[in-house]
Amino acid sequence: MIKNGVYSLKKHNHCIFQKLYVIFLFCLITVFVSGCKTIPDTRVVSAVELLDDESAFYIAIPSSVDRVLIQKIIKNYVPTLSDSNVMMICERINTVYCGISNKKNHMDFQCVISGNIPVNMMPKVLTKKNGWNSAKIIPQDSATQYNLYSISNENFSIDMSFPSTNLAILGRDVPKMLSRFDFLSKLPSDDFEINTIIDKNLADFLNGAKNEIRFCANKPQSFLTILTGAKLDLKLKEVSGVFVQDEKHENQYILDLRFLFKNEKYLKAGKTLLTLAFGLTNSQSVIIGTDELQINGIKLDKNQLIKLFLP
């Protein structure tokens, strides 16, 4: 049974989000094009079906929850865009799904984005002149050909592809993601069952991010330090949560968290420490079973959470 968690990006957020503007690159293109070629009726592949299980942190960000957050991310990395174009870009994004993992000397990330993607325009925009290299990928036992785009400079290197008119994939193991997409898309069109590599409960959790931003990870210590300003060694296994905008205060988020403890003897002490750290009342924290703590209604200034997304 999954107990969802949050993984801190403090140490590596600069590295990750140098790349983040590329996550939204396909959206920039859609500002200047319209219409897509009609494709045959095939099984619709869900974004979460393409994420692998090698990440330590997963997050789903629906643009409808907080377009301002996405606008700030785009504007931060593409400052030459006008405010009107940034708003148009955000209207083309449905949901951003990311999996992030910490390797020995670098941070890997994998991203699948649902949106309105003009696939046929990609070769005309992601050109060698613009710094992109392209290659053709044909998955094993398939006759379908996909375009793989790559870019590399002193700051980062990344692969990207657009397997359909509603999905963009980039980051780690794009060829593997293409192979998986190819397999899933050729299943019977009436096969609506979600087929995932990640834990099914995690997939359902992320896929359910319609009215809230959802995140989950199994290495939450540093993230907790960012939120509380204190280094609390609580022997946590996982932390998960959701956050939405505070309807009464536009510059504030409401955050709900779930903590899964490795050792039940830390549970009660953890409840006391976390309640004090967040400045909450005891009624806002609830112990469930022998290893789970839920804390609801945490009010945080937007800038405190946005710093997780921007360097």
Side-chain angles (χ1 to χ4, degrees):
M1 176 180 180
I2 183 171
K3 305 287 186 176
N4 306 299
V6 182
Y7 175 60
S8 171
L9 307 183
K10 184 178 181 182
K11 292 183 179 180
H12 304 283
N13 62 353
H14 182 72
C15 173
I16 298 170
F17 295 105
Q18 277 186 327
K19 306 175 183 178
L20 193 57
Y21 83 93
V22 182
I23 293 176
F24 300 97
L25 180 60
F26 84 97
C27 299
L28 311 186
I29 299 167
T30 61
V31 173
F32 305 103
V33 298
S34 61
C36 298
K37 183 178 179 180
T38 301
I39 60 175
D41 183 28
T42 60
R43 178 187 183 274
V44 176
V45 178
S46 172
V48 295
E49 293 182 293
L50 302 183
L51 293 173
D52 65 28
D53 58 359
E54 298 179 16
S55 296
F57 173 86
Y58 295 89
I59 186 167
I61 311 173
S63 63
S64 61
V65 174
D66 192 351
R67 291 187 186 275
V68 174
L69 172 60
I70 295 178
Q71 289 173 9
K72 287 185 177 181
I73 292 172
I74 295 174
K75 192 66 177 178
N76 183 78
Y77 290 103
V78 194
T80 56
L81 284 176
S82 66
D83 290 341
S84 60
N85 277 344
V86 170
M87 293 178 65
M88 291 174 65
I89 291 165
C90 291
E91 290 175 356
R92 299 295 185 117
I93 299 174
N94 292 333
T95 306
V96 178
Y97 301 88
C98 284
I100 302 167
S101 57
N102 182 19
K103 300 299 183 180
K104 184 176 181 180
N105 296 315
H106 64 286
M107 177 68 72
D108 275 350
F109 81 98
Q110 186 177 63
C111 189
V112 187
I113 303 169
S114 63
N116 180 13
I117 305 169
V119 176
N120 294 332
M121 292 297 297
M122 297 304 154
K124 301 177 182 179
V125 178
L126 303 178
T127 64
K128 191 170 185 178
K129 181 179 179 180
N130 292 330
W132 292 88
N133 295 314
S134 63
K136 303 294 183 181
I137 297 289
I138 301 177
Q140 186 175 0
D141 301 323
S142 174
T144 305
Q145 182 173 270
Y146 300 91
N147 290 323
L148 175 67
Y149 302 94
S150 302
I151 190 170
S152 179
N153 58 39
E154 60 183 10
N155 295 319
F156 68 91
S157 61
I158 196 168
D159 293 333
M160 172 185 290
S161 188
F162 306 86
S164 74
T165 57
N166 68 321
L167 289 178
I169 59 177
L170 59 156
R172 183 183 68 248
D173 291 335
V174 168
K176 290 183 179 180
M177 296 171 76
L178 285 173
S179 294
R180 181 158 180 78
F181 173 88
D182 187 79
F183 165 75
L184 293 171
S185 66
K186 292 173 181 175
L187 292 176
S189 59
D190 59 352
D191 182 355
F192 301 113
E193 182 178 356
I194 298 295
N195 187 327
T196 63
I197 299 175
I198 61 175
D199 181 271
K200 180 64 164 55
N201 289 330
L202 171 58
D204 290 342
F205 176 72
L206 296 174
N207 216 28
K210 308 301 181 184
N211 302 311
E212 58 196 12
I213 297 172
R214 296 188 174 190
F215 46 95
C216 168
N218 55 20
K219 296 181 180 180
Q221 193 61 51
S222 297
F223 177 84
L224 188 59
T225 300
I226 292 176
L227 294 186
T228 65
K231 293 184 178 180
L232 305 175
D233 185 9
L234 301 178
K235 306 300 181 186
L236 293 169
K237 184 186 296 183
E238 293 179 351
V239 177
S240 69
V242 301
F243 62 89
V244 297
Q245 292 193 88
D246 188 336
E247 295 181 356
K248 297 180 179 179
H249 303 280
E250 62 179 12
N251 294 321
Q252 187 168 265
Y253 286 119
I254 302 296
L255 177 64
D256 294 338
L257 293 176
R258 297 176 63 195
F259 299 84
L260 180 64
F261 290 77
K262 295 178 181 178
N263 191 320
E264 63 179 283
K265 72 179 183 180
Y266 289 93
L267 181 57
K268 290 184 178 180
K271 178 179 184 294
T272 300
L273 289 172
L274 289 168
T275 299
L276 290 173
F278 285 114
L280 305 174
T281 64
N282 286 331
S283 63
Q284 290 177 272
S285 57
V286 180
I287 290 177
I288 299 177
T290 60
D291 61 356
E292 183 180 332
L293 173 67
Q294 293 186 3
I295 297 182
N296 302 316
I298 302 171
K299 296 181 179 181
L300 291 174
D301 186 272
K302 276 192 175 184
N303 291 327
Q304 195 171 352
L305 283 180
I306 287 177
K307 68 182 180 182
L308 297 173
F309 298 89
L310 300 177

